[in-house]
Amino acid sequence: MYYPDNFEEKISFDQIRELLKSHCSSSLGLGFVDKMKFSVHFGTIEKLVKQTEEFVRILQLAEPFPSSGYIDIFPYLKKARIEGAFLASDEFYDLKVALNTLTSCLKFFSTEEKKLEYPLLSQVGEGMMIHKGFMQQLDRVIDEKGAVRANASTTLQQIRSSHQQEQVHLRKTLDSILRSARQQGYTPEGVSLTIRSGRMVIPVLAEYKRRIKGFVHDESATGQTVYLEPTEVLETNNRIRELEYAEHREIVRILTALTDA
């Protein structure tokens, strides 16, 4: 049977689609609704209506079915296929959330009781598997906040430990220099250690900048204060910068290996 191009409007199917989209909780749902078309096949309609009835029961009975975490991971999968590319830690976090949600959905329908109670919805996930080994690997690398875990590799753990030790040493040295500068009136009132050009420095009144040996990284808008890196901490700041580069390289290596997996 031939249907005119505006048939959906004539039967108000377009309004139903917009109503459904207003209740979607993810881009996946929106994309699915956009693809929906009206049907004249009784068997298909009957199956979809019964699936809907089953899910209505799940909602009415307040069953522990996942209500969030439905993230579109297909762009990440496409990116992972590109040779030499790797997923960032936040992208892996989305992947982790999405796969955990999918695992929970499959687990919900895994018992014989649920298969009997919701037979049509149970069929949707039949034959679907989540690779447990990969999930464990993913969890070992990405933490609950989407960052790479400190113990994701022995090398990364050593780098971060060294970085923390150098930071403690740097702060102690600068605190001592800043206290001495305050006592001699070389600093503005109420100042503290700050960061300029990625390096920790102390604020010093411009007129006294030559009283403390070091490298000036910046100055205030008025020019009355300069931000100085004392010579005593130049090497420590250099080591910290080198450790940050090493950390970045190791994280890229870890994420590349996880992307390959």
Side-chain angles (χ1 to χ4, degrees):
M1 185 180 293
Y2 172 77
Y3 295 98
D5 293 338
N6 64 343
F7 186 70
E8 285 195 359
E9 294 178 24
K10 286 181 175 293
I11 63 173
S12 299
F13 194 85
D14 58 330
Q15 295 179 32
I16 294 172
R17 179 182 282 111
E18 291 304 313
L19 182 62
L20 282 172
K21 288 172 73 171
S22 70
H23 291 283
C24 289
S25 59
S26 74
S27 60
L28 283 171
L30 291 170
F32 187 82
V33 173
D34 280 334
K35 294 176 184 177
M36 288 176 61
K37 295 184 180 298
F38 68 92
S39 176
V40 295
H41 300 289
F42 180 78
T44 300
I45 295 171
E46 184 181 38
K47 181 180 179 181
L48 293 173
V49 168
K50 286 182 177 179
Q51 283 182 337
T52 303
E53 288 174 349
E54 287 183 5
F55 207 91
V56 168
R57 287 207 306 275
I58 289 176
L59 297 175
Q60 289 175 336
L61 295 173
E63 294 269 28
F65 194 85
S67 60
S68 61
Y70 296 96
I71 299 171
D72 184 3
I73 61 173
F74 290 107
Y76 306 150
L77 301 182
K78 289 179 181 178
K79 181 180 177 181
R81 290 192 183 101
I82 301 171
E83 188 175 352
F86 65 91
L87 301 186
S89 58
D90 59 335
E91 293 172 325
F92 268 121
Y93 179 72
D94 282 351
L95 184 65
K96 181 177 177 178
V97 170
L99 291 179
N100 280 332
T101 300
L102 184 53
T103 300
S104 298
C105 291
L106 296 176
K107 186 177 180 181
F108 178 87
F109 294 113
S110 64
T111 65
E112 288 302 318
E113 178 188 0
K114 288 294 189 285
K115 288 178 181 178
L116 290 173
E117 194 171 356
Y118 310 109
L120 292 176
L121 290 180
S122 297
Q123 290 173 9
V124 176
E126 284 184 357
M128 198 178 294
M129 288 179 57
I130 306 296
H131 195 291
K132 290 184 179 179
F134 174 72
M135 289 298 291
Q136 291 169 352
Q137 188 178 355
L138 185 57
D139 192 53
R140 283 196 299 269
V141 173
I142 305 298
D143 66 16
E144 291 71 25
K145 295 181 179 179
V148 175
R149 295 185 189 276
N151 60 351
S153 75
T154 303
T155 301
L156 183 62
Q157 196 165 18
Q158 291 171 346
I159 290 171
R160 287 186 173 176
S161 176
S162 297
H163 185 271
Q164 186 176 16
Q165 291 171 12
E166 293 289 354
Q167 286 280 11
V168 170
H169 173 68
L170 174 66
R171 185 169 285 277
K172 283 183 177 179
T173 304
L174 282 176
D175 279 339
S176 175
I177 295 172
L178 183 59
R179 278 197 304 271
S180 175
R182 278 197 193 115
Q183 290 170 358
Q184 297 178 72
Y186 294 164
T187 65
E189 289 293 326
V191 298
S192 59
L193 301 179
T194 187
I195 303 291
R196 286 294 186 277
S197 304
R199 300 168 80 91
M200 195 171 287
V201 296
I202 62 173
V204 177
L205 290 169
E207 58 193 287
Y208 297 116
K209 65 182 179 182
R210 301 193 187 281
R211 303 288 180 91
I212 302 174
K213 291 183 179 180
F215 181 80
V216 174
H217 283 276
D218 197 7
E219 65 177 27
S220 64
T222 61
Q224 294 180 348
T225 302
V226 298
Y227 298 93
L228 185 142
E229 179 183 7
T231 53
E232 294 95 321
V233 298
L234 281 171
E235 284 303 315
T236 303
N237 264 326
N238 286 340
R239 285 194 297 272
I240 288 173
R241 181 62 64 88
E242 288 168 4
L243 286 167
E244 288 170 352
Y245 289 146
E247 179 184 18
H248 175 72
R249 289 193 299 270
E250 180 61 10
I251 286 175
V252 168
R253 187 197 68 77
I254 292 168
L255 293 178
T256 301
L258 192 57
T259 304
D260 290 344

